[in-house]
Amino acid sequence: MSTPSLSLQRFGYVRVAAVTPELRIADVPFNVAEIRRCFRSAEAGGAQVVLFPELSVSAYSCSDLFYQTTLLGATEDGLAELCRESESVDSVLIVGAPLHSRGQLYNCAVVIAKGHILGVVPKTFLPNYNEFYESRWFASDRDRVEDTIMVCGNSVPFGANLLFEQQHSSASTATSFCFGVEICEDLWATKSPSTDMSLTGAQVIFNLSASNEVLGKAEYRRDLVRMQSARCIGAYVYCSAGSHESSTDVVFAGHTLICENGMILQESERFRFDSQITMADVDVEALENDRFRNSTFRSEISAQDFHHVSVVLNDRSVDTIRRPHQAHPFVPASDKRRSERCAEIFALQCTALEKRLRFTRCTQLVIGISGGLDSTLALLVCVHTFRKMSLDLHGIHAISMPGFGTSTRTRNYAQLLAEELKVDFREISIRETTLSHFHDIGHDPSVHNVVYENAQARERTQVLMDVANQNGAFVIGTGDLSEIALGWSTFNGDHMSMYAVNSGIPKTLVNTLVRWQAAEHASNSLQSLLLEICEQPISPELLPLDEDGISTQSTEESIGPYELHDFYLYAMLRHHYPPHKILLLAQQAFEGRYEDDTLRHWLHVFYQRFFANQFKRNSMPDGPKVGSVALSPRGDWRMPSDAQMNLWVREVEKTG
């Protein structure tokens, strides 16, 4: 699948780069030459803002050489050369340099674009403990007496209260991009300047750093950067000095990180001596969407004393979006993380059910089991909860209700599963009662339409409800989040229950959870059974079997692959992306697996089904929220049942 040239601006992205260059201590011409080379390379790769480490023009570890006017003069000459270099480059350059003003020396970040220094940001917090003694040379921003500084013969904005902003607009999008700059220790302070910058509108923070390495510090630093991006609902680009800095007493390793809202997009390899460029596309649109939906963030916004500096940020056409593309966003990619996530999700489900059992003082449950994935997971939750509460497993009434399309295979799976888990098992056929119902309403059983299918689902629900009444029990729902999103249930049939333990679990995650149970919590015989169930095609088994007794009805042939619908669901509800962006991300995540027309077709179906079935969600039963995407009308998702889908569907149709 070929991807055409993409406009970063149209899709709400800004491409950033963090560069750890080769350098020589106090050799400004060499350092400037390497900065120029890396800047050009990053710009050629589409980077719109390129960040270098703290004091990168001179090197951080110059110590008392910072007092030398020769070094300071060379630094200004180097900045002038970088300004000239930037005249023909579309990227913004941020470098570190020692600069003096009014008898004081400052550790500064210099923001350069199109031949000009746009602003100079001095460091606020100067470490003067352990191996650090910056107060020996530098003054803090708090000591600053003027709002401008003379650099390279020009007066430019000066202060830690600078924000750099450009307003983008086009026919299809309007994205305001704003960034702030802080330096090393500023991040480690109890109240980081970047917090106020973010509350004043900065979506991205750039940090020029010179953080040395000691045991365990890299992990702490990684968490610090990642969590600051999460707290600020922003992106954080962190660039630290590399191994060419002095090793007289400490070692530097060139650790760079690009994080977005708690997620690491890119990270460099440490302890390298060659120049490294770390690059990623920051999703400014997603950050803005999260901010205006977060009432706590909105409540903290106030009129801060920041000076906004206009910056030119030209759009870029690129071939691909440079960030992780996960086809299954609900399922962690790594085995370790996936196992941890499954354990937590399963605990959430079981705790939710246990709370409901404790409140109702109920020791009996009724659940319909089909031999399919959803009912298998729900039954596993019931069994684990009963064991945890030391309740008799025979209080779980697992009922198989074969109908016109039930295959021998799934029928056997249901019985074997109940036997393996040692719960009460009953088989109650719905064939005769459904035929009697057809007779009562005058429906021809040879007409296999929606009446034929839904009558079976409603008959099963009636059986479950009545058996629950017989036993003083309540009915456990088995439907999952994907089915709820697509309306793939019969209203007042399998749509209804007394508690829905799977309502927060998308289909791709249901399969993962059952496999996790098989791998880590099942006997050999149960493990084999669970894995067999996971491998079977998904089917409601409502239409008659073929002459070989095999179900020919496939859910995914009817409504589309669940992996696509789960991808669309996550992109729409978690990030509120528009259809053209969802399609772009799907093209990249599923490259080589689905044609563009196929992705577009099922996205069209997704919107149609999602809008048409809100009435079912508005009357869905209680069930636990599990992840950041949930559809309960009492919690995360409120939508009128009669909302029009035209805007979304038209955009899908015109996206080519």
Side-chain angles (χ1 to χ4, degrees), residues 126 227 333 343 373 407 448 488 499 549 563 579 582 629:
L126 304 175
M227 291 312 299
L373 269 175
S407 65
H448 302 152
W488 192 247
Y499 197 69
E563 65 174 355
I582 294 176
V629 175

Side-chain angles (χ1 to χ4, degrees), residues 327-328 482 486 507-508 538 554-569 590 593-594 598-599 601-603 605-606:
H328 302 135
S482 304
L486 299 168
K507 186 74 77 176
T508 49
I538 300 169
S554 168
T555 297
E556 293 184 295
E557 286 182 7
S558 298
I559 63 173
Y562 272 116
E563 65 174 355
L564 291 185
H565 287 309
D566 282 0
F567 184 92
Y568 298 152
L569 178 65
F590 295 99
R593 296 173 58 190
Y594 296 98
T598 302
L599 295 172
H601 168 73
W602 291 123
L603 182 57
V605 169
F606 171 81

